Amino acid sequence: MNQPHAHLIGISGAGLRSLADYLLDSGWTISGSDQAISSTLRSHFMARGSSLFDGHHRDNIPLETTVCIHSLAIPELNPEREAASLREIPQFSYVSFLGKLFNEHTGVAIAGTHGKTTTSLILGHLLREADRSVGLIAGGKAIGSEKWGYAGKESILIAEACEFRQSLLKLSPKYAAILGIETDHFDCYPDLNSVTEVFRKFCDQVSSEGCLVLNADCPATRIAAEAAKCSRQWYTLKEELDIELLETDTLWTISNIIRHKEGVDFFVTSHTGISAMLQAPVYGIHQIQNATAALLLALQLKVDWSDITTGLMSFPGVERRFQQRNHSSGAIFVDDYAHHPSEIRATLNALRQKFGEKPRHVIFQPHQIQRTEALFEEFVAALLPAEKVTLLPVFAAREMADDRVESVPRRLVEAGNRQGGQFEYCPSLDHLCSSLDDSWKTVPNGRGEVIATLGAGNIDRIYDELPGFIC
């Protein structure tokens, strides 16, 4: 029998590249295309025997292709999708194909506005450290890992469930987590109520025989969870919480948090009297919450407390999630995917935990014009605590770029400076690279500050283009 072959249109997308690794592990062959393929992506899949194509052309689809899988950003009029239709090759959106996989596996879905990638990877790490052979399809890669996704011998499949265009409603998991709900994806949802309703429908789709892990400190999550038909595991940072627990519910309290340069120590205690002390090499309250959600899911999947304890301590971290990058000049960088005001606040607090009173220079590349305009005042407030802020042009994703890619961040600079901040505008990543390169030549032994590059676009390109990074 011939191997199934998937052609992935838009393979640079986080979900699709992870799915590609998963399919390769599962015995498939794959090919892929995108407008621009990075050298890292190309070399990775070439090493795995796969062909990637720059641009979208009808003849990119190999003769042996048995299915085409495309990102939601790829329209029907895409030439490769049109060619697949003429050849009667089955087509799936990424999330529809993921839903198909969930129907064939024990699905574990990680949902919420923030923290999905980190929580997914922590959970996958805990299971693998406990010698469990599970599958993972996530939006990022663990530091030191060779692959974005992987398949396992067990039926368990962990994957992120994104709310964009109601994608998560394509999934019917047995286990799931909702890490929190905020307004985002303004091209899909006009307000918090509309996005909460989608999460409510998602809660209703979790198997009645399964379990939901939920952030009890998020009001919108508590509303959405009312629709759940399964048991619920709640976690909270509050000593006292006014919440009505059902007979099948458990409430876990996170307490006794000790922050240090190597991470955090903390306790989790259930309302039924179970308590455990944990250590994790993560930074910020948000990461403690992510780790707690992951460990509660691990417990549901029959991982022992001892394996959870040791697994958490050995978690290597996630690329582009508070990832420290050191330079030969002595300069310290932290690269993070933060692109929402809540995420920026969390990252700034984590920088203070990790690096003490070192000045924080934030270089922020806003992601999407619509998001930046809708949350304009929130972005200013989130960035103000930084000792210095550099704003780059907006990375226009899933929208038409216009003069607002420059005018909106310039307005952010003006608003920040009016409120006492030290904001500046940098017109491009090329200018940023030149400026940083020049500063290392004039400031010996590092800059005396921590430089944080934040954004969900291509700001991490500087780490490939600037010489001297040693990690």
Side-chain angles (χ1 to χ4, degrees):
M1 182 178 176
N2 292 331
Q3 285 180 301
H5 180 98
H7 181 71
L8 280 59
I9 310 172
I11 194 170
S12 296
L16 277 176
R17 67 193 182 200
S18 184
L19 174 62
D21 273 328
Y22 173 88
L23 292 175
L24 286 166
D25 278 2
S26 301
W28 290 55
T29 59
I30 68 123
S31 57
S33 65
D34 217 324
Q35 291 290 2
I37 305 291
S38 70
S39 58
T40 300
L41 196 69
R42 187 182 303 282
S43 60
H44 170 74
F45 284 112
M46 280 183 63
R48 301 205 70 184
S50 303
S51 299
L52 301 188
F53 304 95
D54 284 307
H56 298 296
H57 304 286
R58 302 172 69 88
D59 56 358
N60 282 350
I61 304 177
L63 292 175
E64 65 271 22
T65 299
T66 54
V67 63
C68 281
I69 306 169
H70 60 86
S71 76
L72 288 176
I74 303 296
E76 286 188 40
L77 296 179
N78 175 275
E80 294 179 27
R81 290 194 62 187
E82 290 182 325
S85 295
L86 288 172
R87 290 168 51 182
E88 298 184 340
I89 299 172
Q91 296 186 55
F92 295 88
S93 69
Y94 161 73
V95 69
S96 293
F97 194 83
L98 185 59
K100 182 175 179 292
L101 290 175
F102 261 44
N103 292 336
E104 300 166 357
H105 295 77
T106 301
V108 184
I110 312 299
T113 313
H114 318 294
K116 293 184 290 294
T117 298
T118 299
T119 304
S120 298
L121 290 171
I122 293 176
L123 177 58
H125 178 78
L126 292 178
L127 286 159
R128 295 184 99 185
E129 289 295 293
D131 293 325
R132 300 284 295 279
S133 180
V134 301
L136 174 79
I137 300 172
K141 184 165 64 171
I143 294 171
S145 173
E146 295 180 356
K147 296 183 288 189
W148 283 278
Y150 49 81
K153 296 178 182 177
E154 294 186 34
S155 66
I156 295 169
L157 174 59
I158 304 161
E160 294 183 33
C162 183
E163 68 276 15
F164 176 64
R165 292 190 190 173
Q166 303 186 25
S167 296
L168 74 176
L169 298 186
K170 297 284 187 181
L171 308 178
S172 296
K174 183 172 183 180
Y175 304 97
I178 298 180
L179 309 173
I181 304 170
E182 283 195 275
T183 50
D184 200 4
H185 299 295
F186 293 92
D187 48 346
C188 306
Y189 305 107
D191 51 36
L192 182 59
N193 288 337
S194 59
V195 69
T196 302
E197 180 59 27
V198 170
F199 278 97
R200 184 183 179 89
K201 292 177 181 177
F202 174 71
C203 288
D204 181 57
Q205 292 181 187
V206 177
S207 170
S208 60
E209 298 177 354
C211 181
L212 259 171
V213 171
L214 301 151
N215 181 356
D217 297 337
C218 172
T221 298
R222 290 169 65 169
I223 292 171
E226 293 171 357
K229 298 189 287 284
C230 60
S231 66
R232 303 179 300 182
Q233 299 278 318
W234 299 90
Y235 59 90
T236 180
L237 288 160
K238 298 177 180 178
E239 292 183 8
E240 295 185 8
L241 184 70
D242 181 18
I243 185 172
E244 184 178 346
L245 297 178
L246 303 178
E247 187 177 343
T248 56
D249 286 0
T250 305
L251 176 65
W252 298 83
T253 301
I254 303 166
S255 64
N256 300 100
I257 298 171
I258 301 174
R259 303 171 182 85
H260 45 80
K261 291 183 178 181
E262 287 73 40
V264 292
D265 304 338
F266 63 102
F267 277 82
V268 291
T269 306
S270 74
H271 79 281
T272 58
I274 301 171
S275 185
M277 195 278 281
L278 300 149
Q279 296 174 305
V282 298
Y283 302 90
I285 289 293
H286 63 303
Q287 296 290 38
I288 299 173
Q289 293 173 305
N290 293 339
T292 301
L295 73 88
L296 293 180
L297 282 169
L299 287 172
Q300 292 297 310
L301 295 167
K302 312 303 181 187
V303 179
D304 292 336
W305 273 110
S306 59
D307 289 327
I308 289 172
T309 301
T310 56
L312 268 183
M313 287 190 291
S314 64
F315 181 62
V318 184
E319 290 185 354
R320 296 228 62 219
R321 283 10 177 231
F322 207 78
Q323 181 182 6
Q324 186 168 335
R325 307 290 297 264
N326 294 338
H327 192 267
S328 57
S329 67
I332 297 172
F333 280 71
V334 172
D335 187 35
D336 197 273
Y337 199 69
H339 57 284
H340 186 282
S342 296
E343 295 166 348
I344 293 172
R345 287 194 296 270
T347 301
L348 282 171
N349 289 334
L351 288 170
R352 186 62 79 219
Q353 175 192 337
K354 170 81 171 169
F355 300 103
E357 296 303 313
K358 275 184 174 289
R360 298 161 297 178
H361 177 188
V362 169
I363 303 172
F364 178 48
Q365 181 188 52
H367 189 259
Q368 291 192 323
I369 299 167
Q370 196 170 8
R371 176 189 285 120
T372 311
E373 288 188 319
L375 300 174
F376 186 92
E377 296 300 332
E378 289 90 336
F379 274 116
V380 175
L383 290 165
L384 270 173
E387 285 67 35
K388 183 179 179 181
V389 177
T390 298
L391 268 297
L392 288 160
V394 178
F395 185 91
R398 303 192 300 266
E399 61 189 354
M400 291 295 294
D402 54 38
D403 59 3
R404 290 177 297 167
V405 299
E406 293 190 4
S407 65
V408 172
R410 287 183 184 276
R411 283 171 46 216
L412 284 171
V413 169
E414 293 170 1
N417 287 333
R418 280 198 304 270
Q419 296 182 45
Q422 187 179 341
F423 287 43
E424 64 180 10
Y425 179 72
C426 180
S428 70
L429 285 175
D430 289 336
H431 281 82
L432 176 64
C433 287
S434 297
S435 173
L436 290 171
D437 203 25
D438 290 342
S439 69
W440 289 323
K441 296 170 184 174
T442 57
V443 181
N445 301 320
R447 301 169 55 87
E449 64 186 6
V450 180
I451 303 168
T453 53
L454 309 185
N458 62 348
I459 189 171
D460 59 322
R461 197 188 85 192
I462 69 169
Y463 297 104
D464 296 322
E465 297 185 1
L466 275 167
F469 283 103
I470 53 181
C471 72

